[in-house]
Amino acid sequence: MPMPLADLESHLRAAFPDAQIAIDDLAGDGDHYKARIVSAAFAGLPRVRQHQLVYAALGGRMGGELHALALETAAP
Amino acid sequence: MTETTEAPGAHDFIAKTVADNEVVLFMKGEPDQPGCGFSAIVVQILDHLGVDFAGVNVLESDSLRQGIKSWSDWPTIPQLYVKGEFVGGCDIVREMFQSGELKTLLAEKGLLSN
């Protein structure tokens, strides 16, 4: 079951209120997105930890509602 | 013979696998026939760098497929482990490969033959 882009964006904005967020819908099916997130929350963390924060923001939906989310994360 | 929930056996298997093999890729499908594009990308990168690795097909077991996600607190496959440490999935491996970090990491750990 896909996730609308607006829902994905609102989950991410809720978790990273300071962030610059850009989301691309890669396949037009609501199931393959690419998100670039720049947030101070990522400062000093290894990439694995940064991405784990994003997955946590999605509250377990990754792998369920959402099949593929390509992530690019960085601190400002 | 169905395993629908993650059994303690899965974590034991994962622990042993990453301890016994220096580079392990938990993936969908087999290294010579990946079952998904993301797994295929990581295989391609490892082959390009000339790294020996153990490919573990999580599609063979539901308990393994769930167990690897709870083991690493990471919701997706593929997952690359180097000397027991979770390095990342497709996005991270690709980013590290493009920046040269992956080659450096593997070389530092004595895992590159060339």
Side-chain angles (χ1 to χ4, degrees):
Chain A
M1 195 188 336
M3 179 186 293
L5 191 148
D7 286 6
L8 175 58
E9 187 168 354
S10 70
H11 289 311
L12 295 176
R13 289 208 182 279
F16 305 104
D18 71 315
Q20 288 168 42
I21 300 176
I23 302 174
D24 294 330
D25 184 346
L26 298 175
D29 60 0
D31 227 9
H32 297 78
Y33 291 104
K34 179 185 169 88
R36 177 172 161 77
I37 308 166
V38 180
S39 167
F42 298 137
L45 298 180
R47 286 185 188 85
V48 167
R49 285 296 303 132
Q50 294 181 22
H51 291 201
Q52 282 172 327
L53 288 179
V54 178
Y55 293 139
L58 297 177
R61 294 176 185 84
M62 188 68 226
E65 272 172 59
L66 191 50
H67 171 71
L69 176 61
L71 290 178
E72 228 182 273
T73 53
Chain B
M1 186 172 67
T2 46
E3 302 152 290
T4 50
T5 53
E6 162 218 322
H11 279 188
D12 288 344
F13 171 78
I14 294 164
K16 186 168 190 338
T17 304
V18 300
D20 289 352
N21 298 276
E22 290 178 313
V23 183
V24 183
L25 180 64
F26 292 89
M27 61 182 289
K28 294 183 179 178
E30 306 289 337
D32 58 354
Q33 201 168 34
C36 96
F38 306 117
S39 291
I41 286 169
V42 179
V43 169
Q44 222 172 12
I45 288 171
L46 294 174
D47 284 347
H48 178 84
L49 292 172
V51 182
D52 284 331
F53 68 96
V56 179
N57 182 2
V58 304
L59 300 180
E60 289 183 347
S61 154
D62 272 348
S63 100
L64 176 58
R65 189 172 178 174
Q66 295 316 308
I68 192 63
K69 295 175 184 178
S70 59
W71 174 269
S72 53
D73 187 23
W74 190 265
T76 54
I77 309 294
Q79 297 189 12
L80 180 66
Y81 290 76
V82 174
K83 297 216 170 173
E85 187 188 330
F86 175 52
V87 171
C90 176
D91 295 339
I92 292 176
V93 171
R94 186 166 36 187
E95 210 174 300
M96 289 176 69
F97 171 64
Q98 286 170 344
S99 70
E101 278 170 78
L102 185 62
K103 186 170 182 179
T104 299
L105 173 74
L106 294 166
E108 278 172 359
K109 303 217 180 251
L111 295 169
L112 293 183
S113 43
N114 37 334

